[in-house]
Amino acid sequence: MEKRFCIQNSPLLSFLLVLLLFISNCFASSQNDEVDEQVRVRVGLVLDLGSVEGKIVRSSVSMALSDFYAIHNDYKTRVSLSVRNSHGEPLLTLSSAVDLLQTEGVEAIIGGNSLLEAKLLGELGEKARVPMISLDSPISCSLSKYSHLIQATHDSTSEAKGITSFINGFDWNSVALVYEDHDDWKDSMQLLVDHFHENNVRIKSKIGFTVSSSEDSMMDRLRKLNALGTTVFVVHLSKVMVTYLFPCAEKLGMMGEGFAWILTAKSMNRFHESIDDFAKETMEGVVGFKSYIPMSKEVHNFTLRWRKSLHVEEVIGTEITRLSISGIWAHDIAWALASAAEVIRMPNVTSTLLEAITESKFKGLSGDFQLDDRKLLSDKFEIVNMIGSGERRIGFWNFNGSFSNRRHLSSTHNNLETIIWPGGSTQSPKGSSLKQSDRKKLRVLVTSSNRFPRLVNVTTDPVTHDIINVDGFCIEVFNASIAPFNYEVEYIRWRNGSNYDNLAYVLNSQKDKYDAAVGDITITWNRSTYVDFTLPFTEMGLGIVALKERSIIVWLIERHENPEFQGSWSQQIGVMLWFGFSTLVYAHRERLNHNLSRFVVTVWIFAVLILVTSYTATLTSMMTVQSIRFNSNKNYVGHLSGSLIAKAALTNSSMQTMRSLGLNTSDDYARALLDKNVSLIVSELPYLKVLFRDYPKDFLMVKKQYTTNGFGFMFQKGSELVHNVSREISKLRTSERLNEMERRWFEKQSSYPTDDKSNPLTLDRFRGLFMITGVSFAFSLAVLFILWLREKWDIIVHSVNIFLSRRLRHFRIIFTRTIHPSPLDNTIGENAIQMAQRNRR
Ligand SMILES: *[C@@H]1O[C@H](CO)[C@@H](O)[C@H](O)[C@H]1NC(C)=O
Ligand SMILES: *[C@@H]1O[C@H](CO)[C@@H](O)[C@H](O)[C@H]1NC(C)=O
Ligand SMILES: *[C@@H]1O[C@H](CO)[C@@H](O)[C@H](O)[C@H]1NC(C)=O
Ligand SMILES: *[C@@H]1O[C@H](CO)[C@@H](O)[C@H](O)[C@H]1NC(C)=O
Ligand SMILES: *[C@@H]1O[C@H](CO)[C@@H](O)[C@H](O)[C@H]1NC(C)=O
Ligand SMILES: *[C@@H]1O[C@H](CO)[C@@H](O)[C@H](O)[C@H]1NC(C)=O
Ligand SMILES: *[C@@H]1O[C@H](CO)[C@@H](O)[C@H](O)[C@H]1NC(C)=O
Ligand SMILES: *[C@@H]1O[C@H](CO)[C@@H](O)[C@H](O)[C@H]1NC(C)=O
Ligand SMILES: *[C@@H]1O[C@H](CO)[C@@H](O)[C@H](O)[C@H]1NC(C)=O
Ligand SMILES: *[C@@H]1O[C@H](CO)[C@@H](O)[C@H](O)[C@H]1NC(C)=O
Ligand SMILES: *[C@@H]1O[C@H](CO)[C@@H](O)[C@H](O)[C@H]1NC(C)=O
């Protein structure tokens, strides 16, 4: 803070010193001059005399002064010029100006055609209270505070309106702005940009070139503009850059039919300087706005004499053929200065030189000379069309908002004469108008590691590395969900590794280059701070995969589901018996005499043993998370190399202590598991689907965790397409098309081969076991019953016979009594008679 203060102040101090010196000088010189009859008024010229423009201004000013005094030879004042060469350097301009004030005692300074020079002169003029006149510097708000700065330049507001109307007249809704990356050019472009915004001309892209831009980088950026489908260009570049630009554009075929190029006045106003014919020829069809000086007898006369003077002055090369607009302004400014210098010396006048200049009115070469807010603005523009190596006027833009040619006047471009567009066509280019192009372009970054080609498979040209073809599950889903919106999708390879956080960041920071990104990109909160995700289109979550191992328990429990455990019946029974008996030997102690009870107990103990063992195993495995398996191996866990998701999952789990091994493809996964280089693989489900598709038999899904969000497509934040594409994804899912695509790419099984031990046991899983137990019990009971029957057969038959014959006789008696009932037979009746006899007594 302090340091900056010092830096700012030291020039101020020195400046004050300079000012003191200068004021005393002024006194001295004016005293000296009063001796002469004619008062000499010194005016400084600070110009880049190495440039054509500087030479023109210098000769124009001196010719104007001699013309002026030729007419007004009775004037008491004579303006004399002190010329300094600034070499185009702002600091030299400043020091020359200070020097002129100090040593020559100049009363006004003309010079400084860049923004910075104008600022420095404005600052100096403010302190010294001396008018500073800048020719052709851009109009900028930052200059308006200098009350002693006078600008002669073109009216950029009028120009901006003109270019905007011109573009609107052709229904071009979007343009590309090619500008020079330099303060002067950027500042003077601002009004144009604002006008474009206000009038619905979309600036599709802006590219800035510096003088040091190489031809390669120029070509590269133009090529990108071309690829974007841009056809209308507004060019705001210095002459040097223009002569580079158009040959490049020509090489890229951008100077052909269908393209439109518009040059701004700041670019065009320097075109009087010679441009090599090659560059000029490439510019055929370009349209330019140019400050217009009405051609009059006076202008013609002045130009002729000025051109004649060139041959005399050897300093000026023969390359200058036409007087520039700055030359005309310089002429008028010199006249104004000379007449003002005379006016302020009149005894009845008290105004300063600055006031006298701003109040002067006369007919100059550029029209009626009158300053408005210390500005001489040229607000009429001629529109020219480059043809061959020359230019042709096709009309005018008037400050009141109308186009005109010599005969007609109209508020639209229709009044212009026929324009020959690039490619020699008279048909006006269609432009990249939104109304007319029905297919919008979508620039999509695609992950291109090709590690899981079933997900994303990018085929490139081995030489040019350009994308030839893109397919895979993710791409097909994207293609299907973007299809209804009729976009032309351009895929661009993402080659910067598998850190997709960076991909999200790049997408966010290069909005002008990319619209979306697709591939095996997991939705994470970190990424969604930079981009917007669509709904996920894959299953969410991580899976843990291990090598399939054979075990007894699994045999029984899985025999319903798992084809591996099925064989011929005799084989299965053999295995079953072997297990049953071998376990019995150790588990059973009491002696059993009966073979049948031995059999039943054997089966039962076998069943109980299996139940107990299974529950124990399940409990153990649930509590130790597969620790048995881990311990049996080298404690490596595999994951997708470079995947942030897998890494995050590993660092916060029970597998934290295991060392990890990065793997790249499904073959890597399989080999690592089969070679027992890793005991487990942790990966996102879509990758595991590819693994199970490639190796359906060898692996088990040990566990699934729904801790990731699945894959989604990334779009720029706020993009309307996010919602549209999400809606399409959800349609695909509900209409089963997503499933169908999965089946096509993964040949999806109905479920993953899973390890039952990690799942809770249910009675249902023991169906087989209970069936065997039940059947053997039933069998034993049946055998027992048959044996018992055989032993007691005679007795049973005998007692059955006796029973049957007894029952038979009994039935017969009942039967006859029912038919011939006798009161004696009725015991109740007997009782009733006995009771009646007792009552009679
Ligand atoms: C230019 O005008 C002056 C008088 O204003 C005249 O003397 C001179 O001949 C003219 N020159 C040309 C080339 O017309
Ligand atoms: C000042 O005097 C001159 C004649 O000496 C006259 O032409 C001019 O109009 C006067 N100006 C003003 C402002 O009175
Ligand atoms: C606009 O200016 C041109 C030339 O300056 C003039 O001919 C035309 O009449 C003007 N139009 C309007 C509407 O003022
Ligand atoms: C990847 O694409 C290329 C070219 O389209 C094809 O030859 C190759 O088989 C594809 N790879 C897979 C795994 O689908
Ligand atoms: C994308 O879809 C279009 C039609 O909807 C089809 O022509 C094209 O082949 C598809 N591309 C890919 C890579 O699936
Ligand atoms: C990849 O990184 C390099 C430099 O690290 C960068 O130049 C390039 O633009 C990046 N690629 C993409 C597609 O962003
Ligand atoms: C996202 O992660 C990257 C590292 O991968 C980090 O540099 C960045 O700051 C993170 N962004 C946010 C918003 O946390
Ligand atoms: C990791 O786990 C610990 C405890 O198990 C928990 O406190 C922490 O929040 C977890 N971190 C993340 C990023 O999930
Ligand atoms: C996977 O790819 C990375 C980077 O390309 C490489 O460093 C690593 O060695 C590869 N791993 C395997 C197992 O091939
Ligand atoms: C697996 O281990 C074997 C020997 O232990 C080794 O030769 C091989 O390179 C390892 N493979 C991987 C993918 O690390
Ligand atoms: C999104 O969908 C809506 C309704 O289908 C449609 O009007 C709109 O144009 C779409 N947006 C884009 C960017 O395609």
Side-chain angles (χ1 to χ4, degrees), residues 436-473:
Q436 283 158 13
S437 71
D438 48 356
R439 271 172 87 75
K440 296 147 280 177
K441 203 157 196 173
L442 201 67
R443 295 155 300 168
V444 177
L445 277 169
V446 57
T447 61
S448 65
S449 63
N450 277 6
R451 297 193 289 186
F452 283 78
R454 295 210 159 256
L455 294 171
V456 184
N457 181 10
V458 177
T459 322
T460 51
D461 187 310
V463 182
T464 61
H465 298 293
D466 289 335
I467 291 188
I468 297 173
N469 187 34
V470 183
D471 63 3
F473 172 68

Side-chain angles (χ1 to χ4, degrees), residues 424-572:
S425 165
T426 52
Q427 190 89 37
S428 60
K430 284 206 166 58
S432 46
S433 145
L434 292 178
K435 286 178 210 156
Q436 283 158 13
S437 71
D438 48 356
R439 271 172 87 75
K440 296 147 280 177
K441 203 157 196 173
L442 201 67
R443 295 155 300 168
V444 177
L445 277 169
V446 57
T447 61
S448 65
S449 63
N450 277 6
R451 297 193 289 186
F452 283 78
R454 295 210 159 256
L455 294 171
V456 184
N457 181 10
V458 177
T459 322
T460 51
D461 187 310
V463 182
T464 61
H465 298 293
D466 289 335
I467 291 188
I468 297 173
N469 187 34
V470 183
D471 63 3
F473 172 68
C474 299
I475 303 299
E476 197 185 330
V477 176
F478 181 71
N479 198 18
S481 49
I482 199 77
F485 307 111
N486 194 26
Y487 276 94
E488 189 183 330
V489 177
E490 182 199 358
Y491 288 106
I492 304 155
R493 280 178 74 188
W494 166 257
R495 290 198 269 181
N496 287 3
S498 47
N499 185 338
Y500 296 154
D501 284 3
N502 289 346
L503 173 55
Y505 182 74
V506 163
L507 188 61
N508 174 272
S509 58
Q510 306 191 7
K511 292 195 172 64
D512 54 331
K513 282 196 189 159
Y514 314 113
D515 300 310
V518 304
D520 50 340
I521 306 165
T522 306
I523 301 169
T524 69
W525 71 267
N526 181 315
R527 292 167 195 172
S528 60
T529 54
Y530 300 109
V531 295
D532 278 350
F533 276 103
T534 61
L535 290 178
F537 57 90
T538 63
E539 206 173 336
M540 302 185 203
L542 290 167
I544 302 176
V545 170
L547 200 59
K548 199 179 267 181
E549 287 169 48
R550 285 155 180 77
S551 70
I552 309 156
I553 302 145
V554 176
W555 177 79
L556 261 185
I557 297 164
E558 289 226 329
R559 59 178 293 272
H560 296 287
E561 290 138 25
N562 198 322
E564 285 220 0
F565 294 111
Q566 284 167 3
S568 73
W569 270 107
S570 60
Q571 248 179 324
Q572 287 192 49

Side-chain angles (χ1 to χ4, degrees), residues 349-417:
V349 174
T350 56
S351 51
T352 61
L353 183 60
L354 178 69
E355 282 160 359
I357 296 172
T358 54
E359 279 159 19
S360 57
K361 283 178 193 157
F362 58 92
K363 187 151 170 49
L365 289 186
S366 64
D368 291 327
F369 182 94
Q370 184 175 2
L371 293 185
D372 177 20
D373 193 23
R374 298 186 306 281
K375 286 188 192 72
L376 175 64
L377 292 180
S378 144
D379 54 18
K380 187 162 180 171
F381 295 87
E382 69 177 317
I383 303 169
V384 298
N385 190 195
M386 312 298 275
I387 289 172
S389 57
E391 51 189 63
R392 182 178 68 107
R393 180 192 299 153
I394 52 171
F396 298 100
W397 168 255
N398 305 307
F399 76 100
N400 58 16
S402 62
F403 289 101
S404 60
N405 62 24
R406 248 154 300 170
R407 289 174 296 279
H408 303 287
L409 184 80
S410 156
S411 60
T412 68
H413 69 282
N414 291 342
N415 234 20
L416 301 175
E417 281 165 30

